[in-house]
Amino acid sequence: MDYPTITSITEMELDLDALIARVTLPSTGAAAIFSGIVRGMTERGKAHETSFLDYEAYQPMAEAKMRQVAKEIRTRWPSVEGIAIVQRVGRLYPQTPTVLIICTAAHRDTGVFDAARYAIDRLKEIVPIWKKEVGPDGEFWVEGEYIPQSGE
Amino acid sequence: MLKELLVTKYPKMSSTQKSIITVVNSEYAADELLIPLDAKIAFFPPVSGG
């Protein structure tokens, strides 16, 4: 019953195959995967181009909050087996994966899709990571909308 | 209180005061939290990782 939980912040290239292997158990039959990618051309809202994103994290709080997200997932979806949440930081260019989320389970109908969705949504709420967007029209820090409450 | 002090000292921050997040010893803190001795305090804007 010792399920793997991997949470980390890295400057290295994200390796999907290696990460899947680390959250796959003999009993695993499904892995729901989400990856965020640097979008070079944005259509939604004000259309614009992006040259690169500069990511920064407040460590070690960021890693602690990632572990908290994993804990919340285990409470909500007890059938989830492995959980991986890995955020890449530094300067990242369009079409580059920035974050990898993997939730594994015995079967696909156990909530793994919802769990992976929850992980990325929650990461964007409570994990102290920021990105500065740089494009041909200038640069700005992207700001989330969520204000975490005490105890979160 | 500390947040108010910050805004008094740096008036430019008052327009964004509502979105200043306070962290005490790596935990999100309410404005009325009594800050423990030797606490490590951080202020930051809403997060935007992913």
Side-chain angles (χ1 to χ4, degrees), chain A residues 55 65 87 98 123-131 142 144 148 150 152, chain B residues 18-19 21 23 26-30 40 42 44-50:
Chain A
Y55 280 80
K65 288 295 158 195
Q87 169 80 52
T98 60
L123 177 133
K124 283 172 173 284
E125 286 180 346
I126 66 164
V127 179
I129 299 165
W130 302 269
K131 59 191 167 207
V142 182
S150 170
E152 272 195 278
Chain B
K18 261 196 280 186
S19 56
I21 295 165
V23 164
S26 291
E27 290 295 343
Y28 293 109
K40 196 171 183 181
F44 50 67
V47 308
S48 59

Side-chain angles (χ1 to χ4, degrees), chain A residues 87-150:
Chain A
Q87 169 80 52
R88 189 174 176 190
V89 293
R91 181 159 296 181
L92 301 176
Y93 293 88
Q95 292 169 274
T96 308
T98 60
V99 65
L100 273 182
I101 309 265
I102 307 175
C103 291
T104 60
H107 304 277
R108 71 180 184 282
D109 59 0
T110 51
V112 271
F113 290 100
D114 294 333
R117 172 68 190 261
Y118 180 86
I120 184 62
D121 288 349
R122 203 70 179 122
L123 177 133
K124 283 172 173 284
E125 286 180 346
I126 66 164
V127 179
I129 299 165
W130 302 269
K131 59 191 167 207
K132 186 172 73 176
E133 182 167 334
V134 181
D137 303 325
E139 58 176 58
F140 65 96
W141 283 97
V142 182
E143 223 175 86
E145 283 163 18
Y146 191 78
I147 306 290
Q149 299 304 303
S150 170

